[in-house]
Amino acid sequence: MSDVERELRALADTIVVPEPPDVRAAVRTRIEADSPTTRAIRPPRPQWVAAILAALLAIGLAASPQARAAVAEVFRFAGVDVRWGSDADDAPVVPETPLPGADPTDLAGAREQAGFEIAVPSLLGEPDRVVVADDARVVSLLYNRAQHPVRLDEFDGSLEPVFAKTVAVTGVFAPVDGERGWWLPGPHTVHYVDRDGVVREETARLATSTLIWESGGVSYRLEADVSKAEAVRIAESLVR
Amino acid sequence: MTTEDDEAVRLARDGDPDAYEVLVARYTAPAHRLAYFLGAGGDVEDVVQDAFVKAYRALPRFRMGAPFRPWLLRIVANETKNAVRGRKRRAQLALRALDPRSVDDPYPRVAEAERRRVLLAGLRSLAGKDREILLCRYFLDLSEAETAMTLSLPVGTVKSRTSRALARLRDRLDVEVLDV
């Protein structure tokens, strides 16, 4: 151990820290007030996801609110939890804030850090900014188009939720290269679900329409104020 | 992770509040210390309480067999950052509350007290990311792996950032000495 390290440890011993509080009773009261629905989302079994997806597909994906409620409150697809509800209307409009541990970098830097291949839509070309977040779990390509800013989030894997969205409207099926895709029209709130499964409120932001799809074990989320057809075209132009 | 933790976590995850209370009692002190050092200030008790409630809700996602302490501390660190950000105070204030216990010493050893002052000033002047790492490693005595988990960083980053932060701190100490 170096001198400075030794000195730091010695310094720590001289720091006065207040007595820790006894939070047992308060914590207990709060966790006992929890209803099962307010607990963190349990990762559903793949076959459960498949069953819900099949059910949604069977009812044409444009089911009435009653039918939707009967199917599920949370629908998971390509690493995104979609919650039906009116919360989207009440959600405060907050400016985009960085994801946890967000670090600006460039394409080469992101490719070095991420554990998966990063794809770039050839329709849009090189992004204006690249951000890696949460230990390169999410890589975001940002395009500062004056009229239509575009954000493409790419993340490894598909079953563990990375984003939670609250939408007031139902989504529609939007195949990308023949693979399953999901289109969520209009604004909705987005929360980031960190590695502990804790939904991080502070990263909530108001998103525009979003296309979600999965390809080759990587999940994609394209946020842009464009039509569904345009979003699918952008999605299909991805080059790894 | 001790086997008692394993058992308590398993029971708590299945909804046993008594088992969770055991974990709360066991880890309140390190959680409180971390929140305090990271600058929770007057919110420290709320932060600790909120972190324990969030951790309970996140238990279904806890990977059984993993160490509970750093998993919890990560939630505490995130809660603290949220609280600090929420009240729009700079993380720079984090160490302002730190006062060496020199008043207890009737005959203060001036050189030592001065050295501590310089060291604290150096620590305060570091960038938040560098300071966090040093606080975890040397003030909280967390291992590199525990620090990595607490701060949501890869272990390699903890290693490289620790040595870089120590080098920066050394540089500042040298400057301080020259200035005197």
Side-chain angles (χ1 to χ4, degrees):
Chain A
M1 209 197 309
S2 73
D3 289 353
V4 180
E5 288 173 283
R6 243 193 307 277
E7 278 190 78
L8 280 173
R9 283 193 206 280
L11 177 66
D13 293 336
T14 70
I15 303 292
V16 182
V17 177
E19 276 295 301
D22 185 350
V23 296
R24 281 176 301 177
V27 170
R28 192 178 183 118
T29 307
R30 287 175 63 187
I31 65 175
E32 284 182 344
D34 271 5
S35 66
T37 51
T38 57
R39 290 188 60 164
I41 322 134
R42 274 170 194 273
R45 293 181 182 85
Q47 55 277 35
W48 187 83
V49 174
I52 287 186
L53 186 62
L56 284 166
L57 291 172
I59 56 170
L61 301 167
S64 68
Q66 294 80 354
R68 266 190 269 126
V71 177
E73 287 182 320
V74 178
F75 159 65
R76 175 165 304 148
F77 176 63
V80 180
D81 273 344
V82 178
R83 286 155 213 211
W84 314 124
S86 56
D87 293 10
D89 304 329
D90 316 329
V93 180
V94 285
E96 180 184 325
T97 51
L99 294 170
D103 261 326
T105 177
D106 55 18
L107 266 183
R111 288 198 159 114
E112 215 165 89
Q113 293 177 54
F116 57 95
E117 270 194 281
I118 296 167
V120 176
S122 58
L123 267 186
L124 299 176
E126 289 275 305
D128 297 308
R129 284 189 297 142
V130 179
V131 176
V132 297
D134 207 2
D135 193 9
R137 187 173 176 232
V138 182
V139 175
S140 305
L141 313 185
L142 305 160
Y143 296 86
N144 307 324
R145 302 288 146 93
Q147 294 303 314
H148 301 298
V150 178
R151 175 190 185 104
L152 176 64
D153 293 321
E154 307 185 10
F155 44 100
D156 210 352
S158 55
L159 272 179
E160 215 186 319
V162 169
F163 291 98
K165 295 166 161 279
T166 310
V167 290
V169 291
T170 185
V172 291
F173 194 50
V176 173
D177 279 330
E179 306 249 12
R180 289 178 322 192
W182 190 261
W183 172 249
L184 301 168
H188 48 267
T189 48
V190 180
H191 305 266
Y192 184 72
V193 183
D194 73 16
R195 285 167 192 266
D196 307 317
V198 176
V199 177
R200 308 205 21 160
E201 304 284 343
E202 85 277 18
T203 63
R205 61 178 192 268
L206 202 69
T208 57
S209 300
T210 299
L211 180 68
I212 311 163
W213 76 103
E214 204 185 320
S215 171
V218 178
S219 296
Y220 300 92
R221 213 172 64 90
L222 178 76
E223 254 177 52
D225 190 12
V226 296
S227 69
K228 181 184 123 187
E230 231 175 313
V232 170
R233 264 199 303 279
I234 295 172
E236 291 185 338
S237 77
L238 283 200
V239 180
R240 289 195 185 182
Chain B
M1 172 156 176
T2 62
T3 46
E4 303 102 82
D5 277 357
D6 263 331
E7 182 63 7
V9 169
R10 195 182 57 73
L11 290 169
R13 203 175 53 168
D14 292 340
D16 178 347
D18 292 331
Y20 194 62
E21 196 160 295
V22 170
L23 292 168
V24 173
R26 194 173 290 159
Y27 292 111
T28 293
H32 173 256
R33 206 170 155 82
L34 176 66
Y36 183 76
F37 283 147
L38 293 183
D43 299 330
V44 67
E45 182 167 347
D46 287 345
V47 164
V48 171
Q49 198 193 109
D50 289 349
F52 275 117
V53 172
K54 284 206 175 170
Y56 179 79
R57 291 175 185 160
L59 275 180
R61 294 186 170 278
F62 180 79
R63 194 164 48 80
M64 286 309 295
F68 180 74
R69 186 172 80 146
W71 181 83
L72 171 75
L73 291 181
R74 163 151 50 183
I75 296 174
V76 174
N78 286 338
E79 277 303 298
T80 307
K81 286 174 193 173
N82 292 351
V84 171
R85 203 178 299 148
R87 56 171 196 243
K88 296 191 170 64
R89 265 185 231 159
R90 290 179 158 273
Q92 192 60 32
L93 290 183
L95 278 168
R96 196 159 288 176
L98 303 185
D99 288 313
R101 210 180 295 162
S102 50
V103 282
D104 292 348
D105 193 342
Y107 303 101
R109 282 155 294 188
V110 177
E112 269 179 39
E114 177 59 13
R115 181 66 181 173
R116 283 203 295 259
R117 188 193 64 74
V118 169
L119 199 55
L120 259 184
L123 206 49
R124 277 199 196 105
S125 72
L126 290 178
K129 282 182 167 185
D130 287 349
R131 193 173 50 228
E132 263 172 26
I133 291 255
L134 297 186
L135 288 173
C136 283
R137 293 284 288 113
Y138 303 109
F139 276 41
L140 294 160
D141 213 14
L142 300 182
S143 70
E144 282 176 340
E146 287 175 319
T147 301
M149 196 162 182
T150 300
L151 298 178
S152 311
L153 295 169
V155 178
T157 307
V158 169
K159 280 184 208 284
S160 57
R161 205 176 276 168
T162 304
S163 53
R164 200 180 60 196
L166 285 172
R168 284 187 180 146
L169 184 58
R170 244 175 242 126
D171 286 348
R172 307 220 171 163
L173 296 180
D174 290 345
V175 172
E176 277 273 351
V177 171
L178 289 177
D179 280 352
V180 169

